[in-house]
Amino acid sequence: MEFLLYLALGACAGVLAGLFGVGGGIIIVPVLVFSFTLQGFDQSILTHLAVGTSLATIIFTSVNAVREHHRRGAVRWPIFMWMAVGILLGAGFGALTAEAISGPHLQKIIGVFALIISVQLALDIKPKASRTVPGKFGLTVAGSIIGWASAIFGVGGGSLTVPFLTWRSVPMQQAVATSSACGLPIALVSALSFMILGWHDPLLPPHSLGFVYLPALLGIALTSMIFARIGARLAHRLSPRLLKRLFAALLFSVGVSFLL
């Protein structure tokens, strides 16, 4: 039953990754926290385990989403390359920041983040395309900030990268596609950092590599890789307004439960 949950979660995360340019972590982390709590994992490490596992799954989600977006010529690779430089620096530091925060406090921080994203989705708040794409230095700084925050929240950065690129006058479909590409270095560096930081923690359950829980990683990766391509195709065909609002309602309830 536990493995079936991870398979279903991976399918949902994959669709979200391709459709919205997010890595699916915004929904994976809360579900893993609830699942790990029911399994009796230690409260002091289960949130870090959920964040680290989420980031590891985004590696698989991003690969297929990026392939589909690239096939359609939507990824702005020059933007990606300079943002990735900053992401490599910021993501590692973000993992160190998250590791220094206690599990209960980290849950509350993620809860606040979920509430903010739910309001943004529900009200369809989008920054106006008021500026041009910054230069190499500006993209690197933006990437470092996004990488740092994403590692703390256990997400692929899409909820931050897409608004940033839209604000910088990148068309929405290209912003989503480029965001998907940025999710890969975020996930790689952050997941590796969480593995290293949690490697010798005595409270970890069996089948863990540091703060990455392998059964959850396997189940989510199996389905997310397939459904990410489906989500990417939908992003080029459908208006996702209703789905966004339903997703916003789910995130709002998750955020509230994490804060109570």
Side-chain angles (χ1 to χ4, degrees):
M1 184 62 69
E2 171 194 334
F3 194 68
L4 290 177
L5 169 65
Y6 298 144
L7 290 172
L9 180 56
C12 293
V15 171
L16 292 173
L19 191 58
F20 298 128
V22 302
I26 192 66
I27 191 62
I28 291 175
V29 171
V31 174
L32 288 181
V33 167
F34 295 141
S35 173
F36 293 166
T37 300
L38 291 175
Q39 290 175 253
F41 293 175
D42 193 280
Q43 287 289 328
S44 64
I45 56 95
L46 69 83
T47 305
H48 297 85
L49 193 63
V51 170
T53 304
S54 170
L55 289 162
T57 66
I58 292 169
I59 297 172
F60 300 94
T61 305
S62 295
V63 169
N64 271 13
V66 172
R67 285 177 60 192
E68 186 65 26
H69 285 303
H70 174 67
R71 189 176 68 83
R72 296 174 180 270
V75 181
R76 297 278 292 271
W77 290 111
I79 293 176
F80 161 79
M81 286 189 293
W82 286 105
M83 289 190 70
V85 173
I87 285 169
L88 294 176
L89 299 172
F93 184 64
L96 287 170
T97 305
E99 199 268 340
I101 302 171
S102 69
H105 285 112
L106 186 58
Q107 279 193 33
K108 293 187 183 303
I109 292 172
I110 294 171
V112 171
F113 179 68
L115 289 177
I116 292 172
I117 298 303
S118 71
V119 171
Q120 184 264 326
L121 287 172
L123 301 180
D124 200 23
I125 299 172
K126 298 177 182 176
K128 293 182 179 180
S130 57
R131 299 193 180 188
T132 58
V133 176
K136 298 174 183 178
F137 177 75
L139 289 173
T140 301
V141 171
S144 64
I145 295 172
I146 291 170
W148 173 77
S150 299
I152 295 174
F153 301 133
V155 300
S159 49
L160 302 172
T161 307
V162 172
F164 168 72
L165 293 177
T166 303
W167 175 49
R168 291 295 188 161
S169 302
V170 176
M172 177 56 71
Q173 287 188 350
Q174 292 182 7
V176 169
T178 307
S179 170
S180 292
C182 289
L184 186 56
I186 288 173
L188 282 168
V189 175
S190 302
L192 181 60
S193 298
F194 272 92
M195 285 183 186
I196 295 171
L197 291 170
W199 194 264
H200 295 295
D201 197 308
L203 299 175
L204 287 172
H207 314 300
S208 297
L209 286 179
F211 289 130
V212 174
Y213 186 54
L214 295 180
L217 172 60
L218 177 61
I220 295 170
L222 283 174
T223 50
S224 67
M225 293 180 69
I226 299 171
F227 282 84
R229 299 186 68 176
I230 296 174
R233 290 170 186 168
L234 290 175
H236 293 270
R237 296 179 183 178
L238 302 178
S239 172
R241 174 173 291 187
L242 176 61
L243 183 57
K244 277 187 177 181
R245 290 179 176 173
L246 293 173
F247 187 40
L250 175 61
L251 286 181
F252 185 82
S253 62
V254 166
V256 170
S257 68
F258 269 29
L259 292 173
L260 293 179

